[in-house]
């Protein structure tokens, strides 16, 4: 159980570092955010089943719902940005013009 938790924490930190480093393309940032959310989902689910805390067993489902909403909004922004600007480079966007 401990090695699984350590692996999930490493996956979370690598995805967080990916969000901080790979900020050139929007799609890479969205993929790193999905990695963060999925590692949190698995970690919360494992902790709930390990410690038998079934009173908060709805929390992973709520996290998945917010993750789906975040992915939908992110993909909608990606489509909108790629149709208006022609690519998904974040550096080419000027927030004052949008």
């Amino acid at each position: 159980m401990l090695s699984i938790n350590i692996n999930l924490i490493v996956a979370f930190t690598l995805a967080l570092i990916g969000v901080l480093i790979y900020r050139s393309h929007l799609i890479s940032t969205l993929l790193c955010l999905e990695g963060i959310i999925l590692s949190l989902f698995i970690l919360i689910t494992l902790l709930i089943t390990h410690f038998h805390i079934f009173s908060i067993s709805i929390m992973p489902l709520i996290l998945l719902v917010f993750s789906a909403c975040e992915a939908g909004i992110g993909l909608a922004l990606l489509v909108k940005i790629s149709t208006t600007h022609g690519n998904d480079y974040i550096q080419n966007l000027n927030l004052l013009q949008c």
Side-chain angles (χ1 to χ4, degrees), residues 23-56:
R23 292 185 298 178
S24 61
H25 292 283
L26 183 61
I27 191 73
S28 63
T29 305
L30 290 175
L31 284 173
C32 289
L33 284 175
E34 287 299 317
I36 289 173
I37 295 295
L38 288 176
S39 64
L40 281 177
F41 169 74
I42 294 171
L43 187 65
I44 288 173
T45 305
L46 286 176
L47 288 177
I48 286 173
T49 57
H50 181 71
F51 291 116
H52 304 292
I53 310 170
F54 296 114
S55 62
I56 59 169

Side-chain angles (χ1 to χ4, degrees), residues 29-97:
T29 305
L30 290 175
L31 284 173
C32 289
L33 284 175
E34 287 299 317
I36 289 173
I37 295 295
L38 288 176
S39 64
L40 281 177
F41 169 74
I42 294 171
L43 187 65
I44 288 173
T45 305
L46 286 176
L47 288 177
I48 286 173
T49 57
H50 181 71
F51 291 116
H52 304 292
I53 310 170
F54 296 114
S55 62
I56 59 169
S57 62
I58 195 72
M59 290 302 292
L61 184 63
I62 292 172
L63 184 67
L64 276 182
V65 168
F66 283 125
S67 170
C69 294
E70 176 258 332
I73 291 171
L75 289 177
L77 284 173
L78 178 69
V79 168
K80 182 66 176 170
I81 288 171
S82 65
T83 56
T84 57
H85 295 284
N87 54 21
D88 68 336
Y89 293 128
I90 296 176
Q91 283 89 8
N92 291 344
L93 297 177
N94 188 356
L95 294 176
L96 297 176
Q97 292 177 351

